């Protein structure tokens, strides 16, 4: 029963910290846009001007590796 004398104040402290962190996050706009960050990894990058030549797929296999022997 003596453990309740310790657990009740510790639980109250944890609840106060959780409430303080929630209000800190709400005040710092952490909950403003919940949809965009989840979609960002799925979006394609826009091509950089001047690098269009590098974006074309290139065949890296040499003629020797396709089964043709000299």
């Amino acid at each position: 029963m003596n453990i309740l004398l310790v657990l009740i104040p510790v639980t109250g402290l944890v609840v106060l910290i959780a409430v303080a962190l929630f209000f800190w996050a709400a005040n710092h706009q952490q909950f403003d846009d919940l949809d965009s960050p989840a979609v960002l990894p799925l979006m394609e990058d826009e091509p950089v001007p001047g690098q269009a030549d590098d974006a074309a797929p290139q065949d890296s296999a040499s003629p020797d590796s396709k089964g043709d022997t000299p």
Side-chain angles (χ1 to χ4, degrees), residues 1-69:
M1 271 321 237
N2 288 337
I3 193 67
L4 289 176
L5 296 174
V6 174
L7 287 179
I8 291 174
V10 170
T11 304
L13 182 64
V14 169
V15 168
L16 286 175
I17 291 173
V19 168
L21 286 176
F22 171 76
F23 282 110
W24 177 87
N27 287 336
H28 287 87
Q29 290 82 29
Q30 297 293 317
F31 301 117
D32 284 350
D33 186 14
L34 298 177
D35 294 328
S36 294
V39 178
L40 286 176
L42 302 175
M43 298 175 71
E44 292 185 16
D45 293 336
E46 295 180 14
V48 178
Q51 294 184 357
D53 296 334
D54 295 337
Q58 297 177 354
D59 188 13
S60 63
S62 65
D64 292 335
S65 64
K66 292 184 179 180
D68 297 332
T69 55

